[in-house]
Amino acid sequence: MTRKALVVRLPFGLVLDTPVLSASGCYGAGLEGAAFGDLAALGALVTKTVTPRPRAGNPPPRIYETPCGMLNSIGLENPGVEAFLANDLQRALQQSRPLILNVGGESLEEYEAIVERVQGCGAVALEINLSCPNVQGGALPFSTDPAACELVVRRCRERSTLPFFVKLSPNVSTSLLLEVAAAAEAAGADGLTLINTLLGRAIDWRRRKPRLALGSGGLSGPAIKPVAIHCIASVRAKTRLPILGVGGAASAEDICEFLAAGADAVQVGTAQFRDPLAAVRLVQEVEDLLVGAETSASELTASTRAR
Amino acid sequence: MPQSCLHRVTENRALGGGSFVLRVAGPFEGVRAGQFCMLQSAELWLFLLPRPFSWFDVFEPGDTALRSDEATGAATFLGKVVGPGTARLAALEVGDELHVTGPLGRAWPSVEEGGPEPICIAGGVGLAPFLLWAKEGRAARKPVSLLYGGASAQALPAAGDFAATGADFHYATLDGSRGHRGSVLDLYRDLVGRGLLDGAAPVYCCGPDPMMEAVAAECRERGLRCVVSLETYMACGYGVCNGCTVEVRSAGRFAGRRYVKSCIEGPVFDSEELLWHASTAHG
């Protein structure tokens, strides 16, 4: 049954039953979470980043808790696209939730290869991760340089009949973020995902050593929510592209705040670590909030477009 | 099916030295000795990730040890305050709610058919995963032998909870305030040397990393199987954060890769599988 207050219709024809999605890197492909309960309420599952080749990931320690958040330096650990398609994808699709496949790489050629490889795989859309801070020493070459972003997105566009979102980094000035977002739009992105993690570091001063083996990592969790809201609102003022909001959303109030910033849908990430059913539980709570306020998800998002 | 939901605290018992036993009302199903769960106080979850805890004891409905407010069963968790997350758990009061996700991870391996009973070696709150094991031992086999060590008598909490299991306890403290003066490994050598323990039995061990590493080295020299229960930083405990990785000798999950998730492939590992220094750099 479609719930009117929740349904999200995206311009390229994708309809989500609810604006509550799982965030990439925080829920695998939904297989582990499904052991705890029914995931049918989710708007879509966004998979952990899949790369052309298997990646072992970074050395441990990889995570460290910080106030209202956590640092991670996982390093895109994944089995590689061939193993993912052969093993995890089919099981993930059987959960009958729309699947948004997150893909990544380290070079132009890798992005081309992965986008080509996953065409027709059964996902309703792709999310192209241009902004993982835990590879290439946090260099973020494709999400801090508008020209590089435009080039990689154009190459992906040429190779993809699947609609795709481009996931951008907050580790830039607002003006540069707007330039990078405009470059992605000009090159043919169907939507944007805002934001990836913020670069951060924690130090064990007694041992004079960083808490993470590789030094710095990506900060996630409620601590970064105001940054995400700022980035989404700033980009929303300049584009009509669909935006998937992500960054610290953990409650129904948070989801509605993201929508009011201009996000079309909202991904729940770090909160899923606390409870495998966190996002699932939020679906009903968001509906109750929206109905109680006599509004809807699409109306909240549209209110920012009208400005 | 593992669960992820709130449970009501029915007791929080301080044991001294920052250790505590938290008890919550059930139901809890399908828990096996050596498995763990993620614990989180209900109201502070915005600030703190859940913490991994071994299941200490589990009571099925009908167990005579249950109280009047535990008709659906109960479980206990043995912990120690090491930071703000565990401090919050130690401060929970009767009637508060606790979020429990589990059971998670692998259990202690069962005893080989016809093989000797494992010797259990625990340090401090590393005692936790052995209570269910001892209960299983009482039900199915002869009582388990448990060598329990710590810095002082105060660092040996909760041995009293084993009273009903018939476990054969041997204590070691560095200051000599209880049992053998010295390390738990010294105690093991002493008991085996005097013929009071089976020197051919495998060893199951849980405690601080240096202790487990020393026990593993001793077992390697003696040609014994050593199984350890690791404690690693975890964000989720159920396999999605990829944060609890440990390095192993064998191929691991992906061809040519050596990292595995402690929450899924562990927390119980054969010690020979582990690359100790790579896996225990958590401080």
Side-chain angles (χ1 to χ4, degrees), chain A residues 235-290:
Chain A
V235 173
R236 172 51 74 216
K238 300 286 184 184
T239 182
R240 295 182 69 83
L241 281 184
I243 294 175
L244 303 182
V246 56
S251 68
E253 290 277 347
D254 293 342
I255 302 278
C256 292
E257 186 180 354
F258 274 86
L259 297 172
D264 294 77
V266 186
Q267 304 176 355
V268 180
T270 302
Q272 299 266 73
F273 293 160
R274 181 246 182 190
D275 174 9
L277 300 176
V280 171
R281 295 190 220 270
L282 287 178
V283 173
Q284 183 64 51
E285 293 176 30
V286 170
E287 182 177 31
D288 293 345
L289 268 190
L290 290 171

Side-chain angles (χ1 to χ4, degrees), chain A residues 104-144:
Chain A
E106 288 198 41
S107 65
L108 199 55
E109 293 70 30
E110 284 201 340
Y111 281 105
E112 291 173 357
I114 188 84
V115 166
E116 258 178 24
R117 183 65 188 88
V118 300
Q119 295 300 306
C121 69
V124 296
L126 304 180
E127 182 175 76
I128 300 177
N129 182 3
L130 295 187
S131 47
C132 176
N134 293 320
V135 295
Q136 299 167 299
L140 301 163
F142 297 108
S143 59
T144 58

Side-chain angles (χ1 to χ4, degrees), chain B residues 159-181:
Chain B
D161 290 69
F162 282 69
T165 68
D168 184 15
F169 264 83
H170 306 269
Y171 299 95
T173 50
L174 295 179
D175 66 359
S177 54
R178 184 164 194 185
H180 179 90
R181 178 190 293 270

Side-chain angles (χ1 to χ4, degrees), chain B residues 24 61 71 131 137 143 162 208 249 258:
Chain B
V24 295
L131 179 49
F162 282 69
R249 291 181 195 282
R258 297 190 300 181

Side-chain angles (χ1 to χ4, degrees), chain A residues 172-183 231 234-236 238:
Chain A
V172 290
S173 66
T174 304
S175 60
L176 185 52
L177 172 65
L178 294 175
E179 284 183 47
V180 173
C231 291
S234 301
V235 173
R236 172 51 74 216
K238 300 286 184 184

Side-chain angles (χ1 to χ4, degrees), chain B residues 102-255:
Chain B
L104 303 166
R106 292 193 173 166
W108 294 113
S110 37
V111 177
E112 265 178 59
E113 193 77 34
E117 294 293 315
I119 310 283
C120 301
I121 301 184
V125 291
L127 182 67
F130 290 115
L131 179 49
L132 286 176
W133 178 256
K135 274 178 127 178
E136 288 176 14
R138 179 194 55 184
R141 309 180 301 271
K142 61 185 178 185
V144 305
S145 291
L146 225 160
L147 280 55
Y148 187 25
S152 67
Q154 198 182 43
L156 301 181
D161 290 69
F162 282 69
T165 68
D168 184 15
F169 264 83
H170 306 269
Y171 299 95
T173 50
L174 295 179
D175 66 359
S177 54
R178 184 164 194 185
H180 179 90
R181 178 190 293 270
S183 73
V184 73
L185 182 56
D186 295 336
L187 173 62
Y188 171 80
R189 289 179 184 133
D190 178 63
L191 292 172
V192 168
R194 290 195 282 142
L196 299 174
L197 279 183
D198 182 355
V203 171
Y204 290 5
C205 184
C206 184
D209 288 340
M211 183 201 111
M212 289 195 290
E213 188 170 2
V215 168
E218 178 82 12
C219 290
R220 188 179 312 122
E221 271 179 34
R222 292 172 180 262
L224 302 176
R225 182 184 190 192
C226 179
V227 182
V228 297
S229 177
L230 285 189
E231 182 170 53
T232 57
Y233 281 134
M234 290 182 183
C236 73
Y238 67 97
V240 297
C241 80
N242 293 52
C244 62
T245 301
V246 296
E247 194 165 10
V248 295
R249 291 181 195 282
S250 61
R253 260 183 86 195
F254 315 133

Side-chain angles (χ1 to χ4, degrees), chain A residues 35 62 65 250 272 275 281, chain B residues 1 4 45 49 51 238 245:
Chain A
R62 292 176 168 186
E65 192 179 62
Q272 299 266 73
D275 174 9
R281 295 190 220 270
Chain B
M1 184 181 248
S4 180
W45 66 275
L49 293 167
R51 297 289 186 270
Y238 67 97
T245 301

